[in-house]
mmCIF file of all heavy atoms in Angstrom:
data_model
loop_
_atom_site.group_PDB
_atom_site.id
_atom_site.type_symbol
_atom_site.label_atom_id
_atom_site.label_comp_id
_atom_site.label_asym_id
_atom_site.label_seq_id
_atom_site.Cartn_x
_atom_site.Cartn_y
_atom_site.Cartn_z
ATOM 1 N N SER A 78 86.839 121.235 54.408
ATOM 2 C CA SER A 78 85.958 120.399 53.500
ATOM 3 C C SER A 78 86.579 120.197 52.201
ATOM 4 O O SER A 78 86.114 119.279 51.453
ATOM 5 C CB SER A 78 84.629 121.148 53.403
ATOM 6 O OG SER A 78 84.914 122.566 53.137
ATOM 7 N N THR A 312 75.269 105.182 64.908
ATOM 8 C CA THR A 312 75.973 103.832 65.027
ATOM 9 C C THR A 312 76.991 103.612 63.985
ATOM 10 O O THR A 312 77.984 103.049 64.139
ATOM 11 C CB THR A 312 74.948 102.598 65.017
ATOM 12 O OG1 THR A 312 73.867 103.065 63.977
ATOM 13 C CG2 THR A 312 74.423 102.265 66.299
ATOM 14 N N PHE A 315 79.825 107.669 64.455
ATOM 15 C CA PHE A 315 79.609 108.557 65.676
ATOM 16 C C PHE A 315 80.436 109.868 65.536
ATOM 17 O O PHE A 315 81.310 110.006 64.714
ATOM 18 C CB PHE A 315 79.843 107.829 67.009
ATOM 19 C CG PHE A 315 80.859 106.614 66.899
ATOM 20 C CD1 PHE A 315 82.211 106.887 66.927
ATOM 21 C CD2 PHE A 315 80.366 105.310 66.780
ATOM 22 C CE1 PHE A 315 83.020 105.779 66.954
ATOM 23 C CE2 PHE A 315 81.225 104.234 66.782
ATOM 24 C CZ PHE A 315 82.630 104.480 66.844
ATOM 25 N N TRP A 363 99.414 147.821 19.097
ATOM 26 C CA TRP A 363 99.754 147.200 17.837
ATOM 27 C C TRP A 363 98.918 147.746 16.677
ATOM 28 O O TRP A 363 99.265 147.493 15.483
ATOM 29 C CB TRP A 363 99.355 145.713 17.913
ATOM 30 C CG TRP A 363 100.349 144.868 18.665
ATOM 31 C CD1 TRP A 363 101.684 145.163 18.923
ATOM 32 C CD2 TRP A 363 100.074 143.595 19.328
ATOM 33 N NE1 TRP A 363 102.248 144.236 19.614
ATOM 34 C CE2 TRP A 363 101.233 143.162 19.782
ATOM 35 C CE3 TRP A 363 99.003 142.729 19.292
ATOM 36 C CZ2 TRP A 363 101.366 141.986 20.481
ATOM 37 C CZ3 TRP A 363 99.081 141.597 19.950
ATOM 38 C CH2 TRP A 363 100.236 141.153 20.609
ATOM 39 N N ARG A 365 97.782 149.336 13.692
ATOM 40 C CA ARG A 365 98.452 150.182 12.600
ATOM 41 C C ARG A 365 97.561 151.445 12.295
ATOM 42 O O ARG A 365 98.057 152.382 11.850
ATOM 43 C CB ARG A 365 98.648 149.454 11.396
ATOM 44 C CG ARG A 365 99.841 148.534 11.473
ATOM 45 C CD ARG A 365 99.722 147.584 10.304
ATOM 46 N NE ARG A 365 100.327 148.143 9.013
ATOM 47 C CZ ARG A 365 101.566 147.892 8.672
ATOM 48 N NH1 ARG A 365 102.421 147.249 9.447
ATOM 49 N NH2 ARG A 365 102.066 148.336 7.556
ATOM 50 N N GLY A 852 74.040 96.432 34.248
ATOM 51 C CA GLY A 852 73.486 96.130 35.404
ATOM 52 C C GLY A 852 73.975 96.642 36.600
ATOM 53 O O GLY A 852 73.388 96.643 37.648
ATOM 54 N N GLN A 853 75.198 97.237 36.573
ATOM 55 C CA GLN A 853 75.765 97.755 37.736
ATOM 56 C C GLN A 853 75.124 99.160 38.043
ATOM 57 O O GLN A 853 74.604 99.806 37.178
ATOM 58 C CB GLN A 853 77.289 97.952 37.592
ATOM 59 C CG GLN A 853 77.921 96.618 37.458
ATOM 60 C CD GLN A 853 79.397 96.671 37.055
ATOM 61 O OE1 GLN A 853 79.951 97.868 37.038
ATOM 62 N NE2 GLN A 853 80.085 95.670 36.736
ATOM 63 N N TRP A 884 84.176 134.602 15.766
ATOM 64 C CA TRP A 884 84.957 133.373 15.966
ATOM 65 C C TRP A 884 86.210 133.436 15.198
ATOM 66 O O TRP A 884 86.204 133.201 14.049
ATOM 67 C CB TRP A 884 84.078 132.242 15.499
ATOM 68 C CG TRP A 884 83.146 131.745 16.460
ATOM 69 C CD1 TRP A 884 81.859 132.249 16.714
ATOM 70 C CD2 TRP A 884 83.197 130.628 17.412
ATOM 71 N NE1 TRP A 884 81.239 131.643 17.716
ATOM 72 C CE2 TRP A 884 81.990 130.594 18.127
ATOM 73 C CE3 TRP A 884 84.163 129.647 17.637
ATOM 74 C CZ2 TRP A 884 81.847 129.658 19.121
ATOM 75 C CZ3 TRP A 884 83.941 128.648 18.529
ATOM 76 C CH2 TRP A 884 82.698 128.706 19.245
ATOM 77 N N LEU A 936 73.160 110.637 27.686
ATOM 78 C CA LEU A 936 71.720 111.208 27.508
ATOM 79 C C LEU A 936 71.509 112.252 28.612
ATOM 80 O O LEU A 936 70.939 113.353 28.268
ATOM 81 C CB LEU A 936 70.729 110.084 27.686
ATOM 82 C CG LEU A 936 70.705 109.208 26.464
ATOM 83 C CD1 LEU A 936 69.808 108.090 26.744
ATOM 84 C CD2 LEU A 936 70.211 109.962 25.232
ATOM 85 N N PRO B 16 103.698 149.178 13.811
ATOM 86 C CA PRO B 16 103.345 147.868 14.357
ATOM 87 C C PRO B 16 103.297 146.859 13.211
ATOM 88 O O PRO B 16 102.915 147.232 12.056
ATOM 89 C CB PRO B 16 102.024 148.071 14.950
ATOM 90 C CG PRO B 16 101.898 149.417 15.315
ATOM 91 C CD PRO B 16 102.733 150.148 14.187
ATOM 92 N N GLN B 23 96.546 143.182 14.155
ATOM 93 C CA GLN B 23 95.593 144.225 13.690
ATOM 94 C C GLN B 23 94.136 143.765 13.903
ATOM 95 O O GLN B 23 93.189 144.428 13.313
ATOM 96 C CB GLN B 23 95.829 144.470 12.196
ATOM 97 C CG GLN B 23 97.220 144.945 11.938
ATOM 98 C CD GLN B 23 97.608 146.138 12.796
ATOM 99 O OE1 GLN B 23 96.822 147.024 12.932
ATOM 100 N NE2 GLN B 23 98.793 146.025 13.437
ATOM 101 N N TYR B 29 84.497 134.039 11.899
ATOM 102 C CA TYR B 29 83.071 133.788 11.540
ATOM 103 C C TYR B 29 82.256 134.499 12.550
ATOM 104 O O TYR B 29 82.464 134.498 13.786
ATOM 105 C CB TYR B 29 82.774 132.360 11.606
ATOM 106 C CG TYR B 29 81.288 131.997 11.386
ATOM 107 C CD1 TYR B 29 80.762 132.167 10.114
ATOM 108 C CD2 TYR B 29 80.429 131.621 12.459
ATOM 109 C CE1 TYR B 29 79.393 131.919 10.006
ATOM 110 C CE2 TYR B 29 79.219 131.435 12.272
ATOM 111 C CZ TYR B 29 78.617 131.596 10.984
ATOM 112 O OH TYR B 29 77.279 131.303 10.784
ATOM 113 N N TYR B 110 69.349 93.033 42.974
ATOM 114 C CA TYR B 110 69.915 94.116 43.699
ATOM 115 C C TYR B 110 69.383 94.076 45.214
ATOM 116 O O TYR B 110 68.347 93.572 45.446
ATOM 117 C CB TYR B 110 69.414 95.474 43.157
ATOM 118 C CG TYR B 110 69.762 95.719 41.704
ATOM 119 C CD1 TYR B 110 68.936 95.314 40.659
ATOM 120 C CD2 TYR B 110 71.006 96.417 41.370
ATOM 121 C CE1 TYR B 110 69.342 95.573 39.409
ATOM 122 C CE2 TYR B 110 71.321 96.547 40.034
ATOM 123 C CZ TYR B 110 70.450 96.076 39.057
ATOM 124 O OH TYR B 110 70.751 96.380 37.745
ATOM 125 N N TYR B 121 79.304 113.599 54.197
ATOM 126 C CA TYR B 121 80.595 114.073 53.884
ATOM 127 C C TYR B 121 81.609 113.366 54.716
ATOM 128 O O TYR B 121 82.658 112.842 54.173
ATOM 129 C CB TYR B 121 80.706 115.532 54.155
ATOM 130 C CG TYR B 121 82.098 116.049 53.991
ATOM 131 C CD1 TYR B 121 82.655 116.103 52.680
ATOM 132 C CD2 TYR B 121 82.779 116.581 55.023
ATOM 133 C CE1 TYR B 121 83.970 116.573 52.460
ATOM 134 C CE2 TYR B 121 84.071 117.105 54.931
ATOM 135 C CZ TYR B 121 84.650 117.065 53.566
ATOM 136 O OH TYR B 121 85.883 117.568 53.442
ATOM 137 N N ARG B 122 81.392 113.146 55.989
ATOM 138 C CA ARG B 122 82.379 112.478 56.848
ATOM 139 C C ARG B 122 82.455 110.994 56.489
ATOM 140 O O ARG B 122 83.438 110.396 56.693
ATOM 141 C CB ARG B 122 82.018 112.680 58.341
ATOM 142 C CG ARG B 122 82.563 114.062 58.878
ATOM 143 C CD ARG B 122 81.968 114.376 60.185
ATOM 144 N NE ARG B 122 82.169 113.268 61.224
ATOM 145 C CZ ARG B 122 81.198 112.792 62.067
ATOM 146 N NH1 ARG B 122 80.073 113.373 62.039
ATOM 147 N NH2 ARG B 122 81.530 111.931 62.910
ATOM 148 N N TRP B 193 83.221 97.070 39.023
ATOM 149 C CA TRP B 193 83.992 97.654 37.857
ATOM 150 C C TRP B 193 85.345 96.907 37.744
ATOM 151 O O TRP B 193 85.980 96.565 38.829
ATOM 152 C CB TRP B 193 84.352 99.209 38.177
ATOM 153 C CG TRP B 193 83.116 100.020 38.099
ATOM 154 C CD1 TRP B 193 81.849 99.687 37.935
ATOM 155 C CD2 TRP B 193 83.119 101.374 38.172
ATOM 156 N NE1 TRP B 193 80.996 100.720 37.930
ATOM 157 C CE2 TRP B 193 81.839 101.873 38.054
ATOM 158 C CE3 TRP B 193 84.174 102.344 38.304
ATOM 159 C CZ2 TRP B 193 81.518 103.150 38.054
ATOM 160 C CZ3 TRP B 193 83.762 103.652 38.350
ATOM 161 C CH2 TRP B 193 82.456 104.106 38.216
ATOM 162 N N TYR B 221 81.965 96.185 63.690
ATOM 163 C CA TYR B 221 80.600 95.557 63.321
ATOM 164 C C TYR B 221 80.756 94.264 62.543
ATOM 165 O O TYR B 221 79.739 93.723 62.121
ATOM 166 C CB TYR B 221 79.716 96.585 62.615
ATOM 167 C CG TYR B 221 79.348 97.774 63.405
ATOM 168 C CD1 TYR B 221 79.923 98.019 64.620
ATOM 169 C CD2 TYR B 221 78.356 98.676 62.866
ATOM 170 C CE1 TYR B 221 79.417 99.099 65.450
ATOM 171 C CE2 TYR B 221 77.928 99.757 63.593
ATOM 172 C CZ TYR B 221 78.496 99.963 64.898
ATOM 173 O OH TYR B 221 78.182 101.074 65.649
ATOM 174 N N TYR B 316 62.964 114.253 29.001
ATOM 175 C CA TYR B 316 63.281 114.543 27.536
ATOM 176 C C TYR B 316 61.970 114.966 26.888
ATOM 177 O O TYR B 316 61.895 115.902 26.076
ATOM 178 C CB TYR B 316 63.858 113.282 26.879
ATOM 179 C CG TYR B 316 65.324 113.364 26.750
ATOM 180 C CD1 TYR B 316 66.165 112.586 27.535
ATOM 181 C CD2 TYR B 316 65.882 114.252 25.731
ATOM 182 C CE1 TYR B 316 67.536 112.700 27.344
ATOM 183 C CE2 TYR B 316 67.267 114.293 25.657
ATOM 184 C CZ TYR B 316 68.142 113.522 26.383
ATOM 185 O OH TYR B 316 69.456 113.584 26.329
#
Side-chain angles (χ1 to χ4, degrees):
Chain A
S78 42
T312 34
F315 31 78
W363 284 338
R365 280 168 86 96
Q853 293 172 9
W884 281 79
L936 285 173
Chain B
Q23 300 310 314
Y29 174 73
Y110 301 89
Y121 177 65
R122 275 169 56 223
W193 289 8
Y221 291 9
Y316 262 106

